[in-house]
Amino acid sequence: MRVPLSWLAELVDISGGTAPLDAAEIAARLNITGTELDHLIAHGVETPDTIVVGRVLSAEQHPDADRLRVCRVDVGVDEPAQIVCGAPNVAADQVVAVALVGTVMPGGMKIKKAKLRGQASHGMICSARELGIGDGHEGILALDEHLPDAREIAPGTPLSDVIPHADDVLEFEITPNRPDCLGMYGIAREVAAATGATLRPAPWTREGALPDERDAENVGDVEAVENAGDPDPAGTAIDGFHVTVDGGIGCRRFTARLFEGVSVAPSPLWLQARLSAAGYRPINNVVDITNYVMHLTGQPLHAFDADRIAGGTLHVRAARDGETFTTLDDQQRTLTAGDIVIDDAEGPTSLAGVMGGQRSEVSASTTRVLLEVASWDGPTIHKTAQRYGLFSEAAGRNAKGLAPEQTAWAQVVATRLMHEVVGAEQTGGTIDVGAWAHDAAETLELREARVERLLGTPVSRARQTELLEALGFGVVDPAPSAAPGQGRLDVAVPAERRADVSREIDLIEEIARLGVVADLEPTLPARRRLTAARLTPRQKSRRRVEDVLVGRGLQEVAGWSFTDAGAAGRLGLAADDPRAAAVRLDNPLSEDQAVLRPTIVISLLDIARHNRTRGLDDVRIFETGTVFRDAPDPTRGDMPFEHLAVAGLVQDDVFAAKGLVEAQFRALRIDDWSVEAVSDVAFLHPGRAARIVVGGTTLGLLGEVHPRVADEWDLPQIAVFLIDLDQLLPKVTEDVDFRPVGQFPDARFDLAVVVADEVTSARVVETVRAAGGTLLEDVRVFDAYRGKGVEDGHVSLALHVRLRAADRTLTDEEIGGTRDTIVAALAEHVNGVLRG
C-alpha cells in the first residue's frame, strides 16, 4: 500500500505545530503499532526546488538539426535561459516546467550545461513522465493546456507550489487481517491513533467534503446511498438500467449509479500526479477517478460504458464451465464454475471483483457511465484471481472481503469527482441490491480487570476509550462510577473492522499495540547466571567464508530466491541439465518471480546488471543463500531438493575467481582440493572454466562467464565461482594440527617452466610436490605469461618453491639436487622446459 505523504497530510494533521511529522517518523510510529514499512520512496524529482515554471519566449529551428529547437525561456531571472529542446510540441508563449542546471531527475540524471549540435543549453523543458506526473512523454508538458490560470503564474515559481510533483511515499506491508488499511483513510486513522494527530472527517461525509460541495444536492452523502436501495431482492432499476443478483453466489451488495454528460479526457494534473505517486498509471479521467477513490477508501469500483451494456441489464450470477469472454487486458478467458460474472443481454461482460470486460469498457467515445461498486465474498474472489493470475489492485482488495458499507463510501466520493473532474451529472438514484442487510454495529464487552490481567499493567477506562475511539470504535462506559479495575466498556465495532475484531481479546490487542507496547521499557530477563549464545561449528565456518570474501574487497548482496522461468535458458542450460530444473511456484507474485532459482549465479548476474546500469563500474559481489532444484530430496521426503551455496562475481578473469576460492579453503584449513578444467558448462567460457574438487568430490565451479551469457545481462568480462556449502562445511574440522616453525632456515628459488596450454597449473604443482619429497615445504604458481619468447600454444608458469629440513640447514648440494630432480620430473611428466 503506497501512501504519498502530501495526500496523507490532507486526511490527518501531521503538521504537528512546532514538531511536524516527517515520513521517517510516521513509519517508525506505525512499525511499533503493527503496520510495517516496506519501502520509503522519494517519488519524482530529487531536487524539486530547482524545477520552476517558465514561459517560452521563442522557439527557433536549430540551424544544424531538423528535430531540435533553440528556445529562449523566461525562468524568473534577469536573462532568459537558452534551452535546446527536441519535443515536437514546444512553441512560443507556452507555460512550461523547466529543470534548471543542477536538477537531479528521477533515475539520478543530473541536468548540466551542455552543447547540442553547437548550441548551448542551460536546462531542460520537461515532459510529464520526467516530472513523475503521469505517463506522457511524447512531448513537453504545456501547463497552459492543463491549468486555467497558468499564465498568471510568475516565471521562476517553484513547480511544487503549483503541482505536487515530488513527494515522499511510504509503502506499507499490510497484513491480510487489516483490509481497512488498504485505503488512504484507513492509514490516516492509524497515523492519528499512533501519533495523536488530528484525523480530519472522512471524505465521504459532508463534513469531509470540500467547502463548496457540502451543500450541493448532486454530490450526495452516505445516507443518500444507504436509503436508496430497493428492499425487493429481485432487483432494482434506474433510467432504463436493471440489475439482478442471484442468491448464494457471494455478492453481498451491488450498487450502481448512472452518469450522463461524460466527456472522457486526460485527468487534471493534480489527479495524475497523485495517482503516479500512489503507483497507478493515469489513463483517462473516468478510470483515474475509480483508481483514486479505490486508493482513498480501499473499495474497488468499476466503470461501464452505459451505452455498451447490451439490453440495459446486468445480471450477477455464477459462471458456467467453458464460457468465454475478453477481459480489459485483451485476453480471452475461459471461465470455470465457481467464478462470479456480471453479464448483460449478450453474455459475460465482467469477471466480478477481478477485472472488467473489453466489450463494455470506457473509451474516448463514452458519454454515459454506469458506476458499479460492489461487495464480494473474499475467498471466492481470491480463488478466481489465483486461477487466472489476475492479481490486480482491485482483486487484491476484494479478496480480503470488504465491508458492504464501504460501497456507499466509494459511491459518494466518486460522485463528487465525476461532477467536479468530468463535468458529468448523476441521473436517477442508486441501484442497491444483494444479500446484505444493514445491521447495527456489533457491540463487545471489554472488562477493565481482564485488560490488566492479560497485559500485566493497568490501563484506565479513560485511556482505553481514548485509544479505541481514535481507531473509529464507538465506546460507552455504562458504569462510569465503578472503582478502578472493576468497570467495563461497551464497544461498537466499526464496519471495516468486523472481520478482524470479533472478541474481547481483539479489543485488548488494539489497546496493547497502541497504548502499551510502545511505552514498555526495555529490560533483560532476570537470570542467576549470565549466558551467551554460541555459534555452531557450521556457523563459524560459514562466517569465515564470508569474512574472507569481504576482506578480499567483495560486497555481500542478498538476491531474490525467485526468478523468471526463462532465466535458465538465458544461461544456455539445456532442458535436461539439473541446473535448469527449476521449482515452479503455484502462486507466483509475477511472471518475473515464477520459479525458485536453480542456481545462485542468476541472482548475482541480475544484481551485477542492476549496479552496472547505475554507474558502478567495478562490481565485486558475493552471496550466501539457498538454491532449489525440481528433484526429490532424499533427506526431506517429497520436498524439492535444496542446498546452501556461496557464489561470487568479479569483473576479472578466471585466475581472480580461483584466487578467491583458494582464500576460502585456506581460511577453512582445507588442503585436499584441486581444480579440473571443464568445457561443458553452458554459462562458462570453454577453456577458462574448472570444477572445484575437494577430497575427490566435485563441490563447485569457477571460471569466466561465457560472452554470450554476459551479453544477455549487458555485462563485460566477468568471472564467477559457486560452491556447495552443504557439502563443504562438514569437511571442515575444528581440530587444528600444530606444526612447529622450523628452527633451521628455509631455501627458496623460482622456476619459469614452459608447458603446453592443455597442461593445467594444478598438474604442474602436483608434479613438483611429488618430486620435491620430504624437503619440499611449499610450492605455488605466482604468474602465467604468454607472449614474446613463448611459443604459440604454450604458457610460461612461474613457480615459487620453498625447501626446509627439520633437523639441519640444507647444503648447496641438497638444494641443487632437489632442484634438478624437480626440473627432470617436469620434463618427464608434463614436457616442461625451463624458460631462458
Side-chain angles (χ1 to χ4, degrees):
M1 172 68 188
R2 291 180 60 144
V3 178
L5 193 63
S6 63
W7 193 351
L8 183 67
E10 293 184 4
L11 303 172
V12 59
D13 183 9
I14 58 175
S15 61
T18 58
L21 296 169
D22 60 14
E25 179 65 18
I26 290 171
R29 301 282 186 93
L30 293 191
N31 271 334
I32 294 174
T33 62
T35 307
E36 184 178 356
L37 181 74
D38 191 21
H39 291 92
L40 180 57
I41 304 165
H43 173 77
V45 178
E46 295 184 23
T47 52
D49 292 343
T50 58
I51 302 283
V52 301
V53 176
R55 177 166 293 181
V56 181
L57 303 178
S58 64
E60 305 295 335
Q61 183 65 48
H62 192 294
D64 298 316
D66 294 339
R67 297 186 179 183
L68 297 178
R69 291 181 178 273
V70 180
C71 306
R72 292 174 62 252
V73 185
D74 182 358
V75 292
V77 295
D78 293 339
E79 292 294 327
Q82 177 171 296
I83 299 175
V84 179
C85 180
N89 65 326
V90 66
D93 206 34
Q94 284 178 329
V95 180
V96 295
V98 179
L100 302 176
V101 172
T103 302
V104 180
M105 304 298 291
M109 181 184 74
K110 187 173 184 179
I111 303 299
K112 302 177 181 178
K113 295 179 182 179
K115 276 195 174 183
L116 299 178
R117 295 289 184 92
Q119 295 292 320
S121 184
H122 300 273
M124 181 175 74
I125 304 176
C126 301
S127 68
R129 176 187 288 181
E130 289 162 342
L131 294 170
I133 304 174
D135 202 41
H137 62 281
E138 58 280 346
I140 55 102
L141 176 65
L143 297 175
D144 48 297
E145 296 177 5
H146 297 272
L147 303 176
D149 57 350
R151 298 191 180 280
E152 299 175 11
I153 303 172
T157 301
L159 184 64
S160 54
D161 292 352
V162 181
I163 307 167
H165 64 95
D167 208 349
D168 287 332
V169 179
L170 302 103
E171 186 163 353
F172 291 105
E173 191 72 36
I174 305 301
T175 54
N177 65 317
R178 294 299 306 276
D180 59 298
C181 287
L182 291 173
M184 285 291 304
Y185 197 72
I187 292 290
R189 183 184 288 112
E190 284 288 307
V191 171
T195 66
T198 302
L199 180 69
R200 296 188 169 94
W204 46 87
T205 63
R206 287 197 178 271
E207 293 79 8
L210 296 175
D212 59 348
E213 292 178 337
R214 291 173 185 162
D215 298 325
E217 295 181 359
N218 63 337
V219 296
D221 201 349
V222 170
E223 289 77 7
V225 180
E226 303 291 16
N227 297 330
D230 188 333
D232 179 6
T236 189
I238 51 171
D239 286 17
F241 287 91
H242 189 263
V243 176
T244 56
V245 177
D246 288 351
I249 62 166
C251 178
R252 295 187 289 174
R253 188 181 191 187
F254 188 104
T255 69
R257 282 182 170 181
L258 179 65
F259 297 90
E260 295 188 341
V262 172
S263 177
V264 177
S267 294
L269 290 181
W270 71 264
L271 181 53
Q272 293 191 47
R274 183 150 288 178
L275 287 176
S276 297
Y280 299 87
R281 182 174 63 88
I283 297 174
N284 59 53
N285 49 7
V286 175
V287 176
D288 291 350
I289 285 172
T290 64
N291 286 331
Y292 176 89
V293 175
M294 175 177 68
H295 204 73
L296 173 64
T297 65
Q299 170 66 53
L301 310 83
H302 180 66
F304 292 91
D305 184 325
D307 294 317
R308 298 171 72 178
I309 298 175
T313 62
L314 292 177
H315 179 201
V316 183
R317 60 171 176 82
R320 293 182 283 270
D321 268 333
E323 283 187 293
T324 61
F325 91 113
T326 303
T327 45
L328 286 171
D329 57 359
D330 199 29
Q331 298 294 313
Q332 188 176 61
R333 310 286 177 180
T334 301
L335 304 179
T336 302
D339 299 332
I340 307 174
V341 296
I342 305 172
D343 70 5
D344 58 16
E346 295 180 1
T349 186
S350 182
L351 190 56
V354 178
M355 184 174 284
Q358 192 179 73
R359 184 161 52 83
S360 59
E361 72 174 317
V362 171
S363 65
S365 60
T366 297
T367 59
R368 295 199 303 164
V369 165
L370 188 70
L371 191 63
E372 167 248 311
V373 189
S375 178
W376 309 97
D377 176 62
T380 301
I381 300 303
H382 179 77
K383 290 176 183 177
T384 298
Q386 189 175 41
R387 184 178 297 124
Y388 301 106
L390 292 173
F391 291 97
S392 61
E393 291 283 343
R397 287 169 169 81
N398 282 320
K400 302 296 189 296
L402 303 176
E405 288 86 346
Q406 291 180 245
T407 60
W409 307 348
Q411 282 286 12
V412 168
V413 180
T415 299
R416 290 173 179 164
L417 290 173
M418 289 292 289
H419 173 69
E420 174 189 338
V421 174
V422 181
E425 297 291 337
Q426 181 187 351
T427 301
T430 303
I431 294 175
D432 192 349
V433 293
W436 173 72
H438 189 191
D439 299 324
E442 182 181 0
T443 299
L444 301 175
E445 181 183 81
L446 179 61
R447 293 166 290 176
E448 190 176 3
R450 183 164 172 77
V451 172
E452 181 176 353
R453 187 165 65 252
L454 288 178
L455 300 185
T457 184
V459 182
S460 68
R461 294 195 302 278
R463 178 60 172 156
Q464 293 177 30
T465 300
E466 177 189 356
L467 294 171
L468 292 173
E469 287 183 341
L471 289 170
F473 292 85
V475 184
V476 174
D477 186 347
S481 60
Q486 302 300 316
R488 67 177 177 86
L489 298 175
D490 293 334
V491 182
V493 182
E496 68 273 18
R497 296 299 304 276
R498 287 178 197 157
D500 177 42
V501 179
S502 59
R503 302 170 299 165
E504 182 183 32
I505 189 64
D506 298 327
L507 295 174
I508 296 173
E509 179 188 356
E510 297 298 298
I511 292 169
R513 70 184 183 88
L514 282 174
V516 176
V517 174
D519 298 333
L520 290 177
E521 290 291 333
T523 59
L524 292 173
R527 285 182 177 270
R528 293 182 179 179
R529 298 176 59 190
L530 292 177
T531 60
R534 294 184 177 181
L535 297 176
T536 65
R538 176 186 172 92
Q539 290 171 328
K540 290 180 182 177
S541 298
R542 175 175 171 177
R543 288 271 183 96
R544 263 186 268 162
V545 167
E546 294 167 345
D547 289 346
V548 164
L549 294 173
V550 170
R552 291 296 182 107
L554 276 69
Q555 292 182 309
E556 185 174 10
V557 296
W560 286 101
S561 294
F562 310 114
T563 187
D564 64 282
R570 293 197 300 279
L571 287 178
L573 298 175
D576 58 352
D577 191 311
R579 289 177 292 263
V583 179
R584 180 170 289 277
L585 301 179
D586 290 336
N587 184 22
L589 297 173
S590 68
E591 285 303 313
D592 291 337
Q593 299 177 343
V595 300
L596 293 171
R597 62 183 179 190
T599 171
I600 203 168
V601 74
I602 293 172
S603 56
L604 286 181
L605 291 169
D606 288 341
I607 293 170
R609 175 175 58 187
H610 178 86
N611 283 275
R612 286 275 303 177
T613 57
R614 284 156 179 79
L616 183 62
D617 293 329
D618 185 19
V619 178
R620 299 175 61 83
I621 57 177
F622 77 94
E623 179 179 0
T624 308
T626 306
V627 296
F628 309 84
R629 303 275 169 78
D630 190 13
D633 188 335
T635 65
R636 303 171 66 238
D638 295 332
M639 297 296 290
F641 176 77
E642 60 181 78
H643 72 271
L644 181 68
V646 61
L649 179 150
V650 292
Q651 281 181 230
D652 216 318
D653 58 18
V654 62
F655 299 106
K658 183 184 176 186
L660 293 171
V661 172
E662 183 178 0
Q664 294 172 73
F665 287 155
R666 187 182 301 117
L668 297 175
R669 303 186 187 93
I670 292 178
D671 299 323
D672 184 19
W673 73 279
S674 62
V675 294
E676 299 174 0
V678 293
S679 59
D680 59 348
V681 180
F683 58 86
L684 295 181
H685 195 303
R688 300 182 188 176
R691 66 171 59 92
I692 303 168
V693 180
V694 178
T697 303
T698 299
L699 299 189
L701 296 167
L702 65 86
E704 294 176 18
V705 172
H706 197 291
R708 173 187 50 76
V709 176
D711 287 344
E712 285 282 349
W713 271 268
D714 298 322
L715 296 172
Q717 175 182 303
I718 52 175
V720 297
F721 69 83
L722 305 93
I723 301 174
D724 185 339
L725 288 180
D726 278 347
Q727 294 192 66
L728 175 66
L729 296 182
K731 298 179 183 293
V732 180
T733 62
E734 283 294 290
D735 298 331
V736 179
D737 293 332
F738 172 75
R739 186 174 63 184
V741 177
Q743 59 179 318
F744 297 98
D746 61 6
R748 307 180 187 190
F749 58 84
D750 295 337
L751 294 174
V753 59
V754 178
V755 296
D757 279 341
E758 59 267 19
V759 177
T760 64
S761 60
R763 187 178 170 193
V764 171
V765 170
E766 288 173 6
T767 301
V768 174
R769 287 189 186 280
T774 59
L775 296 182
L776 181 69
E777 187 175 68
D778 187 41
V779 59
R780 61 184 176 86
V781 177
F782 66 87
D783 190 29
Y785 171 74
R786 292 179 177 86
K788 186 176 180 181
V790 177
E791 184 181 352
D792 289 345
H794 289 71
V795 60
S796 173
L797 298 178
L799 306 174
H800 181 70
V801 182
R802 188 168 71 242
L803 307 178
R804 192 194 302 266
D807 57 352
R808 66 189 185 281
T809 299
L810 294 175
T811 65
D812 289 343
E813 290 76 11
E814 288 176 308
I815 297 170
T818 304
R819 182 182 185 280
D820 292 343
T821 301
I822 291 172
V823 171
L826 289 171
E828 178 182 354
H829 295 292
V830 296
N831 293 323
V833 178
L834 289 187
R835 183 174 165 217

